[in-house]
Each structure stands twice: as structure tokens, then as C-alpha cells.
Amino acid sequence: MILSLDAMGGDQSPDMVLKGVQVARKRHPDARYLLFGDESVLAPLVARESGLASVCEVRHAATVVGNDEKPSQAVRRGRDSSLWQSIQAVKDGHAAGVVSAGNTGAFMAMAKLALRTLPGIDRPAIAAIMPTARGDCVALDMGANAECSTDNLVQFAVMGEVFARTVLGLQNPTIGLLNIGAEDQKGTETLRQAAALLRESTLPIRFQGFIEGDDIGKGSVDVVVTDGFTGNVALKAIEGTAKLYTSFIKGAFQSALLPRLGYLLARPAINKVRMRTDPRRYNGAMFLGLNGIAVKSHGGTDALGFANAVSVAVDLVTHGFNETIKGEFMKVQRASGVAPGDLERAANG
Amino acid sequence: MILSLDAMGGDQSPDMVLKGVQVARKRHPDARYLLFGDESVLAPLVARESGLASVCEVRHAATVVGNDEKPSQAVRRGRDSSLWQSIQAVKDGHAAGVVSAGNTGAFMAMAKLALRTLPGIDRPAIAAIMPTARGDCVALDMGANAECSTDNLVQFAVMGEVFARTVLGLQNPTIGLLNIGAEDQKGTETLRQAAALLRESTLPIRFQGFIEGDDIGKGSVDVVVTDGFTGNVALKAIEGTAKLYTSFIKGAFQSALLPRLGYLLARPAINKVRMRTDPRRYNGAMFLGLNGIAVKSHGGTDALGFANAVSVAVDLVTHGFNETIKGEFMKVQRASGVAPGDLERAANG
């Protein structure tokens, strides 16, 4: 398996990317990497890190997409960038997937343009894995589409279900549509229509209906479906709260001598919680619905976080995520004689 | 000061309400309470609790609005309910504010119908106080309006600012509009227009621009403005995450003997965090923008939580929140010669 990496994306690149590959190559001994970026910078770094040369190949890319660059600008002017070149490698069949810690908007815009969406999918979604009281869940869309149609939401549900089944390894994962109440009449017309379609459709999925914001942490469902605006706000609100509570608890332990001593005694147990909720463990937002695997790492992550994003890409490739999606949509079409888009059009008139 | 209380709303009512008044009467010795509900149930309970009779007056209301009742149904059929009667007492000038732990949707629908919105306000909003790394902030709308116009958001900003100034006691509070990125072009057209209006308007407010979900916990601004859908999901996601982290930490301490011992040593410090983040401390969602103070308590709260909701109502009355709002909107009109609604219409054409 070959993955292409944008070696210049992220706050600590390219160092963080190369150290990340060091971690990843022990986890995935069969994987090989195409590193895109300034060759004069990358080649000596690869040579210096022992063992890297045997799994990496440097490919020159002259420019870097800046973090503040607008996606539309990046797409127009950034064809010789490490980001575009690393995506292009997937399009050209030289790599099975791409990982970048660079500009999210530019990454999504370029990936959409170069890779196009899978048959049956109108728009790609950003998916993230989150900790819950009942194990991990997957949530989408986390920010690719600020406004979503009923069709988009139904397609996200199908993609999320396949993800939970293939990558998280869950049998018969449950699906919930994020809303402001569980009752049928709650929320927007788009949400009510999406719920009706998911309830009535012949799709082989376990749709649980509407869920609320606190159901995410409870683990009430395995797949959380929402539009990109709500999803992005919720994801960041959750991350912010996790940080706030961690700092409150940290402050409490450091407040006096006895709590400090108490911390020493409880440290192994607390470290377990820290590992369980480590943001690096959940690093790697997947762009689902494209003809090619694309994973976005947090820009501010370290080598371990980047390695985890690489592992997410490896998982998506290994479990044949895209092939399964294609199969699902063909099944839907065969079973009903219509594509999900037709279902909505039929419901509307 | 007289407050009217829906004595029958909430899971543990009327017991929880009466015990809540016991707590509240010590905090607010000058406050008096009209208790609405079944007189045959309430009268003996008031007589039994020592000291209550001197601050409470029972007013008979024959029925109770159920938790599952639709707001529209409750409004049509619930005129002899404890909820409607307690709101009516504010309308009739018998009470300065109303507190209920009952059905949120029915409470909002009835309060809107009976009390009407303040001049300059098209729609009321639900506001909540939340803990941040920099003290408390106020966020609105937390669920009254699933869809909001630019006008609504601008009015929420003004109400939130007055709330932060009068009730939270902050000088020159800062305001942020919740979005999925800080850049000008992010989000929906409605949000971009609202930001433009808040930036250009002559309102005497400190608008910081767009904020993201994690800015809430950071305390980046004192007032978080958003539509009721996003706000409700974010609020519940935050509550859910707080619960999840609390349970993770609790689990860690109980996992073995040494952590248990560590917990004993750290307990006073941990209890401080617990008090700081106690959901009961943040109980009491305010319905802002109505001709009368209305505060919604969590349905599942206890006496202490209900007393806190009463305190929120007392604060709103004491600080003349509604009078200040009216003054602000008159100032805006005088300064610009137009009402906020006109501002948007001018911007649009």
C-alpha cells in the first residue's frame, strides 16, 4: 500500500510529518510513502532519519499552500503545491490515499476537484471519530458543507453506516440525525424530510430517529448525521469543553500539597483517562465520498497525532471503504430502482 | 418583589418547588411567591414546611401541562393550567416574573402569547449562562427559534449585551457570533449579514466578529450569539461532554485502591471544581425579549437548582433588565433614526 503525504502541511512540518512516518512505519510495515514538498529540504531530512529512506520516496513540489489562503485561490494558483501534488498522486493511481495537515478548506476544494465524488454521492463530508460513554462513534458532516439538503443528509447516513461497519468494525451500527428534540415535528423541514426518507427507505440501516447534542457523549448511536455547520460547531464545542474540564481538574490537583499528593497516587488511573480522551487519538478527519481516500490531520498536531491520521488512511484503504460505499449505492439502486436523489424528488412531488 | 411559580412543573414537583422556595427565601428575604397548582395538594404542603406560609400564597390552578404535550395544544387547552396561570399573573401585574420547571415549548409558546415581545424585539430568545476558562458567559438563542433571520441575531446581540452588563455585572462585555471559522466569508449569508450589521451599526456594543465552538469554553467573548438550532445542539453537546468527562474521571478514581486514596486527599479541591461546574449552578434558562421576566428551570433539577432559577428571576427583576432593553432600543432609534429592522432592510436594498 502506497500513501501520499503532504510533507509541508501543518504547523511543525516537515519535521512532524517525517517523525510521524517513523511511528507509522512500525505500525504498518507494508505501507510505503510518497512525500511531497521541497526536495532540497526533504531529501536530507529523510536521509538523516534512520530507516525512513527504505519506506519513503521524495517527490518535489515547489510551493506550499498557506494556512490563510482562500480555497478558491489555492485551487487556481496552487497546482505546483505539495498539497495539490499529493492529491494528484491519488488521482493518477500512484497512491491509495493522501494525508495532509495543511489548510482544510484548500484540501477539501482540491480533493473535490481532482478526485470527484463517488457515484451516488453529491457532496463529500468530513467525518470524525469521537469518544463516548459506550466506545467510539463517527460523526459527519463536520464542516465540509455549511448548508445541506435532504439528499446530502441521507447520503451522509449511508456513508457513516459503512464507515462504522467497515472501519470501526461495528455490526449493525445505529444511526441518529442531530436535532433539537426527539419528537417528529422538531427542527427544520430538511431534517424532518431526511428522517422520513431514512425511516421509509429500503436501505439496510438501523435509523434511530432524531438525537440531541448530549446523545453524542452518551453514545446513544454509532453514527451521528448532521449538516456541516451544526457538526463543526458541535465538534469544536465538545473539544473546547474537554479542554476546559481538563484544565479545571488540573488546576484542582495543583491547588495545594494534599491534592498534589493525591494526584501522584491516582496518576496511573488518570493517565488512562488521558490516553482514552487524547485528542491525538482522534486525529484524522476523513473526507468521505470521494474517488480516493483523503485524511486531514489537525494542523497543530505532533508526530504521534500525524501517525494516527496515517493509520486512519490505512484503515480506510485496508477495509475497502470506497468499494463498499459503491456497492451499497448499487444495492440501493437495484432494490428500489431509484437512486437516493430520486427518492427525495419522489417525496417532494 | 413578588414572583409567580408554576408549582406543578418538573419531575419532582410540587415537593421540589416548595423546598426550592425554602432555599430561595433565605437568599432573598424580601421576595414573595404566588404558587400556582392544585390547592388541595399545595395548601397542606405549605402549611407543613415551617416559614413558607409567611412568604407564599397558593393560587388554585386545576390542571397541569404534560411534558409531552405539544405547545400548540397546551396553548389551546391549557388555560386553567398552573403554567398558564402563573404566566398570566405576570401579565396582570400581580408578579414581576415567573419561574417554571415544566414543558419548555409550552412555556415559551404561552409566554409569547400572554406577555408579547418588547418593543424592538421580533422574537424572544432563550439565554443560558455557561462556565468558561475566564468566568461565566451568556449564550443565546439556546432553542426558542430553530431558524433565525439577520434581524433576530442582531436583536439577540443587543439583549445579550444588556444581560451581560446588568445581570453578570460586566463592563463593556464583548460579543461574538457563532460560526464555523473566523474569516469574513465563512458560514451562511444570514450570519455574514448579521456580522456586517453589527460591525457597522451605531449600537454601543463591542462586537468581536465570528467565533468558533471552542471559543465558548475558552471564554473568548462574554456574549455568544447564535440561532436556536445551533445554540441548542452546542449547549447540549457541552453538557454531554461535561458529564462524559466527569464520569471518566470518577471511573479513574474508583478503579483501584491507590487512586481511591488519592481521591480522598484531593477531594476538597475536586469538590471546588464540582461546585464551579455544578449544572444546578447554571440552572435557569432566561426567556429574553418578553414584556415580563420568565425563567425556565431544568425539569429534572432539585430544590437547590430550582432556587437558583428563582435567583436568576430575582436578578433580572432587580437589575431592571427589561427596562434597560427598552432604553437601549429607544437609544438606537434616536441615534440612527431607524429601528434595527430598518437597518437590515436598508442594507438589503
Side-chain angles (χ1 to χ4, degrees):
Chain A
M1 181 193 314
I2 301 173
L3 294 178
S4 69
L5 309 180
D6 169 12
M8 312 308 274
D11 305 343
Q12 312 285 325
S13 66
D15 222 54
M16 170 278 281
V17 172
L18 294 185
K19 293 215 163 65
V21 176
Q22 280 290 29
V23 178
R25 79 181 174 92
K26 281 157 206 160
R27 288 191 198 161
H28 315 288
D30 295 334
R32 298 292 175 269
Y33 306 91
L34 304 178
L35 299 179
F36 288 86
D38 186 335
E39 195 166 17
S40 66
V41 175
L42 292 179
L45 285 174
V46 170
R48 206 185 58 189
E49 294 269 343
S50 93
L52 267 200
S54 63
V55 297
C56 288
E57 201 182 307
V58 174
R59 299 276 172 100
H60 184 66
T63 64
V64 178
V65 174
N67 268 334
D68 300 327
E69 238 172 289
K70 282 192 188 173
S72 55
Q73 249 178 28
V75 163
R76 270 200 315 273
R77 299 189 207 154
R79 299 298 167 105
D80 50 2
S81 67
S82 56
L83 182 53
W84 177 267
Q85 293 294 325
S86 58
I87 297 166
Q88 193 65 30
V90 177
K91 192 193 174 184
D92 295 341
H94 302 318
V98 51
V99 181
S100 172
N103 181 324
T104 310
F107 189 8
M108 178 49 100
M110 287 175 161
K112 255 158 84 171
L113 186 69
L115 303 177
R116 308 268 163 194
T117 52
L118 288 166
I121 305 286
D122 296 323
R123 294 214 214 155
I126 297 178
I129 301 175
M130 291 199 264
T132 82
R134 274 183 54 250
D136 290 344
C137 76
V138 60
L140 71 171
D141 174 18
M142 296 290 105
N145 314 282
E147 284 162 293
C148 289
S149 69
T150 300
D151 255 11
N152 296 148
L153 294 172
V154 171
Q155 293 165 14
F156 296 169
V158 175
M159 292 201 289
E161 201 265 352
V162 172
F163 185 89
R165 204 147 34 85
T166 58
V167 180
L168 299 182
L170 301 172
Q171 288 191 327
N172 293 317
T174 54
I175 296 164
L177 205 47
L178 195 55
N179 200 343
I180 57 174
E183 305 82 8
D184 282 359
Q185 82 278 9
K186 288 277 181 173
T188 61
E189 187 56 31
T190 307
L191 276 173
R192 286 191 294 265
Q193 278 191 19
L197 275 173
L198 287 167
R199 221 172 266 125
E200 291 157 20
S201 84
T202 54
L203 297 168
I205 58 175
R206 281 174 66 198
F207 178 58
Q208 304 280 72
F210 292 137
I211 58 162
E212 300 186 60
D214 52 341
D215 285 308
I216 304 173
K218 281 184 199 162
S220 304
V221 294
D222 301 310
V223 181
V224 176
V225 176
T226 183
D227 65 88
F229 188 92
T230 311
N232 188 278
V233 169
L235 178 69
K236 287 179 182 159
I238 286 169
E239 287 174 352
T241 309
K243 266 189 207 160
L244 182 65
Y245 273 70
T246 307
S247 79
F248 279 155
I249 293 285
K250 209 171 161 184
F253 279 123
Q254 292 173 343
S255 60
L257 189 64
L258 283 184
R260 271 178 215 238
L261 196 59
Y263 173 74
L264 289 179
L265 294 176
R267 189 155 59 180
I270 290 169
N271 280 344
K272 240 187 255 171
V273 175
R274 194 173 283 159
M275 276 169 60
R276 169 86 185 81
T277 58
D278 188 344
R280 294 177 303 179
R281 202 177 151 235
Y282 295 92
N283 188 30
M286 294 73 68
F287 293 175
L288 302 187
L290 296 167
N291 279 302
I293 300 301
V295 175
K296 167 68 175 70
S297 162
H298 252 296
T301 197
D302 62 8
L304 184 58
F306 193 83
N308 288 344
V310 169
S311 292
V312 169
V314 169
D315 280 351
L316 283 164
V317 174
T318 310
H319 294 97
F321 175 76
N322 275 358
E323 291 67 31
T324 314
I325 290 279
K326 280 189 220 170
E328 286 302 316
F329 275 95
M330 275 169 61
K331 256 194 266 170
V332 173
Q333 278 175 295
R334 266 203 303 273
S336 59
V338 289
D342 298 326
L343 280 179
E344 186 190 23
R345 282 183 283 278
N348 284 337
Chain B
M1 180 191 317
I2 300 172
L3 294 177
S4 68
L5 309 180
D6 169 13
M8 312 307 275
D11 304 343
Q12 312 285 325
S13 67
D15 222 54
M16 172 277 282
V17 172
L18 294 185
K19 293 215 162 66
V21 175
Q22 281 290 28
V23 178
R25 79 181 175 93
K26 281 158 205 159
R27 287 191 197 159
H28 314 289
D30 296 335
R32 298 293 175 268
Y33 306 92
L34 303 178
L35 299 179
F36 287 86
D38 187 335
E39 195 166 16
S40 67
V41 175
L42 293 179
L45 285 174
V46 170
R48 206 186 58 191
E49 294 269 343
S50 92
L52 268 200
S54 61
V55 296
C56 290
E57 202 183 307
V58 173
R59 299 276 172 100
H60 184 66
T63 63
V64 177
V65 173
N67 268 335
D68 301 326
E69 239 172 286
K70 283 192 189 173
S72 54
Q73 249 178 28
V75 164
R76 270 200 316 273
R77 299 189 209 154
R79 299 298 166 106
D80 51 0
S81 67
S82 57
L83 182 53
W84 177 267
Q85 293 293 327
S86 58
I87 297 167
Q88 193 66 30
V90 177
K91 192 193 173 184
D92 295 341
H94 303 317
V98 50
V99 181
S100 172
N103 180 325
T104 310
F107 189 7
M108 178 49 101
M110 286 175 163
K112 255 158 81 171
L113 186 68
L115 304 177
R116 307 269 164 192
T117 52
L118 287 168
I121 305 286
D122 296 323
R123 293 213 216 156
I126 298 178
I129 302 175
M130 291 200 265
T132 82
R134 274 182 53 251
D136 291 344
C137 75
V138 59
L140 71 170
D141 175 19
M142 297 291 105
N145 315 282
E147 284 162 293
C148 288
S149 69
T150 300
D151 255 11
N152 297 147
L153 293 172
V154 171
Q155 292 165 15
F156 296 169
V158 175
M159 291 199 291
E161 200 266 351
V162 172
F163 184 90
R165 204 147 35 85
T166 57
V167 181
L168 298 183
L170 301 172
Q171 289 190 326
N172 293 316
T174 54
I175 296 163
L177 205 48
L178 195 56
N179 199 344
I180 57 174
E183 305 82 8
D184 282 358
Q185 83 278 8
K186 287 278 181 173
T188 60
E189 187 55 32
T190 306
L191 276 173
R192 286 191 293 265
Q193 277 190 20
L197 275 174
L198 288 168
R199 220 172 267 124
E200 292 157 20
S201 85
T202 54
L203 296 168
I205 57 176
R206 281 173 66 200
F207 178 59
Q208 304 280 72
F210 293 136
I211 57 162
E212 300 184 61
D214 52 340
D215 285 308
I216 304 173
K218 282 183 198 162
S220 304
V221 293
D222 302 310
V223 181
V224 176
V225 176
T226 183
D227 65 89
F229 189 93
T230 311
N232 188 278
V233 169
L235 178 69
K236 287 178 182 161
I238 286 170
E239 288 173 352
T241 309
K243 266 189 206 159
L244 182 65
Y245 274 71
T246 307
S247 79
F248 279 154
I249 293 285
K250 210 171 162 184
F253 279 123
Q254 293 172 343
S255 60
L257 190 64
L258 284 183
R260 271 178 215 235
L261 197 59
Y263 174 74
L264 288 179
L265 295 175
R267 190 157 59 180
I270 290 169
N271 280 344
K272 240 186 256 173
V273 175
R274 194 173 285 159
M275 276 168 60
R276 169 88 185 77
T277 58
D278 187 344
R280 293 176 304 177
R281 203 177 150 233
Y282 294 93
N283 188 29
M286 294 73 68
F287 293 175
L288 301 187
L290 296 168
N291 279 302
I293 300 301
V295 175
K296 167 70 174 70
S297 162
H298 252 296
T301 198
D302 61 8
L304 184 58
F306 193 82
N308 289 343
V310 169
S311 293
V312 170
V314 169
D315 280 351
L316 284 164
V317 174
T318 310
H319 295 98
F321 175 76
N322 276 358
E323 291 68 32
T324 314
I325 289 279
K326 280 190 221 170
E328 287 300 317
F329 274 95
M330 273 168 60
K331 256 194 269 173
V332 173
Q333 278 175 295
R334 265 204 302 274
S336 59
V338 289
D342 298 325
L343 279 179
E344 186 190 24
R345 282 183 283 277
N348 286 337

